């Protein structure tokens, strides 16, 4: 039995735009929250009441107007590849699936203007065919949408050169508000901070402008080491070497390479490894760094096979976690930021404390112009209490943790909370956008709106 608001919304936007079949609702109410054993029991029963699938910005605005009228919660969704339950509706309502907003509006030499539902993999293919490429993208780029990445992600492949999303990798965003007559906002500059990594809580992103770069011919290389400390020191040296143009510097501790089934036979048994994408012609510089730290050049994918065989980036960032989970479902992960000066000592302390209970996986990035060792360590999960003992130890030695086992923005991710709260109050006066994710006092928002 459809609720009155569903009937009214379906009549307005069309039957094919408002889905209520239980299988469709179940599927589109989920993201990759199952990376976290903490979130699984908390989110597995959460679902929307219907799925709205607008095909234009105007249809999106119409859905939002009806949601405002009937006080229906709205949770936006791209491809659902996020890991924290950010696309899971906590209070029912509708999931607003923006995957049909998939137009590439404009591509120049320096930027691309696209609708939120454009898939990053398709955009990268288009750009490379025209002598350009994305600056940064997540390991889920084949499925992930631009809007989902901006609203739910942070960095990824390319971040070693270009930084994270808030390092100038979003130039402009078009946002719809949730009001009787939704407003269309064009946001630039410092104001963007309220809309990056916000889980769709402060407005509905429908269009975005991102900077792009000139195409590079990338060689992919695995460098192997007898111990992880050597792999980490090599990776740091390469990350700092500005004579090597790079897209990826990702050292992983043994036995993590055994999880990478498609390429495991090409890797040395017992060895930690660094997975790299560097510009063609940098091979001699890489080899010199490898020799300095006792490493050996191993598996290599030449530029002519880029994207034609499974690439090394498919085993980095949170795809490392995915391959680990495929091998052993008791594994999970953390998101960590190590001290750029003390990270080797911090790693030593962690290994002394936890041994193989915590396996190291770093991703070197450059943020605010500074090279830092970010990390997605693999953790053997036993209990909730033990997981948070591990987190407490990391923090006690100065390692920052952005907790991936919570859907609450303030606890799990980087953010400018005052800016987000102010944007939410201005753009979502009834507190309907993804309620429960930004810990804003919704009652005060509703009271302001009346």
């Amino acid at each position: 039995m459809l609720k009155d608001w569903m009937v009214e919304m379906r009549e307005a936007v069309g039957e094919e735009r408002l889905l209520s079949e239980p299988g469709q609702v179940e599927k589109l109410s989920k993201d990759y929250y199952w990376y976290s054993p903490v979130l699984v029991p908390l989110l597995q029963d959460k679902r929307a009441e219907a799925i709205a699938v607008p095909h234009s910005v105007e249809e999106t605005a119409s859905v939002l107007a009806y949601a405002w009228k009937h006080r229906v919660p709205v949770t936006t969704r791209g491809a659902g590849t996020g890991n924290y339950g950010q696309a899971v509706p906590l209070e029912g309502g509708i999931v607003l699936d923006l995957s049909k907003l998939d137009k590439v509006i404009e591509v120049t030499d320096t930027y691309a203007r696209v609708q939120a539902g454009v898939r990053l993999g398709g955009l990268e293919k288009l750009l490379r065919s025209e002598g350009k490429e994305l600056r940064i993208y997540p390991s889920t780029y084949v499925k992930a949408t631009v809007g989902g990445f901006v609203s739910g992600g942070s960095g990824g492949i390319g971040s070693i050169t270009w930084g994270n999303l808030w390092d100038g990798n979003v130039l402009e965003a078009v946002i719809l508000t949730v009001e009787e007559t939704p407003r269309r906002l064009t946001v630039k500059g410092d104001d963007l901070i309220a809309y990056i990594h916000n889980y769709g809580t402060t407005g509905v992103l429908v269009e975005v402008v991102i900077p792009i770069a000139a195409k590079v011919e990338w060689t992919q290389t695995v460098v192997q080491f007898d111990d992880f400390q050597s792999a980490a020191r090599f990776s740091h040296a390469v990350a700092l070497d500005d004579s090597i143009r790079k897209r990826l510097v990702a050292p992983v501790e043994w036995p993590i390479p055994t999880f990478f089934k498609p390429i495991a036979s090409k890797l040395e048994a017992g060895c930690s490894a660094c997975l790299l994408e560097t510009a063609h012609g940098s091979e001699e510089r890489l080899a010199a760094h490898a020799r300095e730290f006792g490493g050996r050049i191993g598996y290599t994918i030449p530029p002519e096979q880029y994207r034609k065989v499974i690439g090394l980036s498919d085993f980095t960032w949170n795809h490392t976690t995915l391959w680990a989970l495929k091998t052993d479902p008791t594994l999970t992960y953390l998101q960590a930021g190590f001290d750029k000066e003390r990270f080797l000592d911090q790693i030593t302390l962690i290994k002394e404390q936890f041994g193989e209970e915590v396996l190291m996986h770093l991703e070197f990035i450059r943020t605010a112009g500074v090279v830092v060792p970010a990390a997605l360590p693999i953790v053997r999960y036993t209990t909730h209490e033990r997981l948070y003992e591990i987190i407490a130890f990391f923090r006690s030695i100065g390692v920052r943790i952005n907790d991936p086992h919570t859907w609450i923005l303030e606890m799990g991710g980087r953010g400018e909370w005052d800016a987000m709260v102010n944007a939410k109050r201005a753009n979502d006066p009834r507190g309907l956008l993804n309620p429960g994710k930004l810990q804003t006092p919704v009652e005060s928002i509703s009271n302001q709106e009346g």
Side-chain angles (χ1 to χ4, degrees):
M1 184 72 177
L2 294 180
K3 293 185 176 180
D4 290 344
W5 67 262
M6 292 188 198
V7 173
E8 188 173 336
M9 190 180 292
R10 178 171 282 181
E11 288 176 352
V13 301
E15 185 172 349
E16 72 283 1
R17 305 288 202 264
L18 192 71
L19 313 177
S20 57
E21 190 276 318
Q24 291 174 311
V25 171
E26 172 72 20
K27 178 181 178 181
L28 294 172
S29 295
K30 306 300 183 186
D31 63 9
Y32 287 13
Y33 69 90
W34 45 265
Y35 274 42
S36 167
V38 175
L39 293 179
V40 168
L42 300 175
L43 294 178
Q44 60 189 357
D45 295 328
K46 302 294 185 183
R47 59 184 57 83
E49 297 164 86
I51 311 296
V53 191
H55 287 221
S56 68
V57 174
E58 292 72 26
E59 287 180 2
T60 305
S62 179
V63 169
L64 296 176
Y66 278 96
W68 182 88
K69 177 181 177 182
H70 294 284
R71 297 179 181 267
V72 178
V74 177
T75 303
T76 55
R77 174 188 172 91
T81 58
N83 308 117
Y84 327 118
Q86 64 260 58
V88 177
L90 299 180
E91 299 182 13
I94 63 170
V95 162
L96 183 63
D97 181 343
L98 297 175
S99 61
K100 296 301 182 183
L101 270 63
D102 58 359
K103 292 183 175 61
V104 177
I105 299 168
E106 179 185 15
V107 174
T108 73
D109 287 341
T110 58
Y111 68 83
R113 180 183 297 274
V114 300
Q115 289 186 321
V118 168
R119 293 188 186 271
L120 285 158
L123 181 57
E124 168 81 345
K125 184 176 181 180
L126 171 66
L127 292 175
R128 287 185 69 82
S129 73
E130 297 181 357
K132 309 172 186 70
E133 65 184 24
L134 295 170
R135 297 209 321 189
I136 65 170
Y137 56 92
S139 60
T140 54
Y141 75 100
V142 172
K143 293 182 178 180
T145 64
V146 179
F149 182 41
V150 170
S151 298
S154 57
I157 294 92
S159 287
I160 181 57
T161 295
W162 299 107
N164 287 325
L165 286 167
W166 38 81
D167 289 309
N169 286 302
V170 182
L171 301 178
E172 182 180 306
V174 174
I175 305 294
L176 296 182
T177 64
V178 183
E179 299 173 276
E180 183 175 16
T181 303
R183 290 172 291 135
R184 178 182 172 122
L185 310 176
T186 299
V187 183
K188 301 179 182 180
D190 292 343
D191 292 339
L192 286 165
I193 199 67
Y195 303 96
I196 294 174
H197 199 75
N198 70 337
Y199 300 179
T201 58
T202 60
V204 176
L205 189 153
V206 292
E207 186 179 303
V208 64
V209 179
I210 56 172
I212 57 178
K215 176 182 174 181
V216 175
E217 298 297 336
W218 298 107
T219 295
Q220 299 168 80
T221 308
V222 178
V223 184
Q224 293 160 129
F225 299 86
D226 295 332
D227 61 274
F228 184 72
Q229 282 275 342
S230 297
R233 293 202 310 271
F234 160 83
S235 301
H236 189 222
V238 172
L240 291 171
D241 187 346
D242 290 337
S243 73
I244 300 175
R245 186 160 185 177
K246 43 203 170 277
R247 213 176 198 188
L248 181 70
V249 182
V252 293
E253 179 184 6
W254 180 268
I256 291 175
T258 65
F259 305 151
F260 305 154
K261 301 304 183 186
I263 63 169
S265 64
K266 303 178 188 295
L267 308 179
E268 281 189 53
C271 292
S272 293
C274 180
L275 282 59
L276 301 120
E277 285 189 21
T278 60
H280 181 58
S282 60
E283 293 81 1
E284 289 187 9
R285 290 289 300 155
L286 280 184
H289 283 298
R291 287 192 298 271
E292 181 181 356
F293 296 100
R296 301 165 295 283
I297 302 292
Y299 179 49
T300 301
I301 304 174
E304 56 268 23
Q305 290 188 286
Y306 198 64
R307 307 289 190 223
K308 295 180 181 178
V309 298
I310 190 166
L312 296 184
S313 66
D314 290 307
F315 306 100
T316 63
W317 289 87
N318 235 348
H319 261 61
T320 306
T321 311
L322 179 59
W323 288 105
L325 281 166
K326 286 181 177 180
T327 302
D328 184 348
T330 69
L331 298 175
T332 188
Y333 76 114
L334 294 175
Q335 294 180 326
F338 282 77
D339 187 282
K340 69 181 188 301
E341 306 293 343
R342 299 190 298 117
F343 72 97
L344 293 171
D345 292 337
Q346 290 170 325
I347 289 169
T348 297
L349 291 170
I350 289 166
K351 295 306 296 181
E352 289 175 349
Q353 184 76 12
F354 299 111
E356 291 201 354
E357 188 177 6
V358 176
L359 299 175
M360 298 310 304
H361 163 208
L362 303 182
E363 295 284 351
F364 281 89
I365 66 173
R366 187 184 296 268
T367 184
V370 178
V371 169
V372 297
L376 296 161
I378 302 294
V379 177
R380 185 167 300 283
Y381 182 79
T382 51
T383 66
H384 181 278
E385 292 74 20
R386 179 59 172 169
L387 178 65
Y388 281 89
E389 286 176 6
I390 294 171
I391 289 174
F393 182 83
F394 271 63
R395 288 172 170 159
S396 75
I397 62 170
V399 178
R400 187 185 72 253
I401 293 290
N402 291 332
D403 188 354
H405 303 283
T406 177
W407 59 72
I408 297 172
L409 266 165
E410 291 93 331
M411 294 174 62
R414 177 195 190 279
E416 300 291 340
W417 312 126
D418 288 346
M420 287 189 183
V421 168
N422 290 337
K424 186 168 185 67
R425 286 177 170 156
N427 301 340
D428 181 23
R430 288 184 168 170
L432 299 174
L433 284 174
N434 212 351
K437 306 298 173 58
L438 180 64
Q439 294 293 287
T440 309
V442 175
E443 295 81 6
S444 67
I445 292 177
S446 300
N447 290 340
Q448 283 182 13
E449 185 273 330

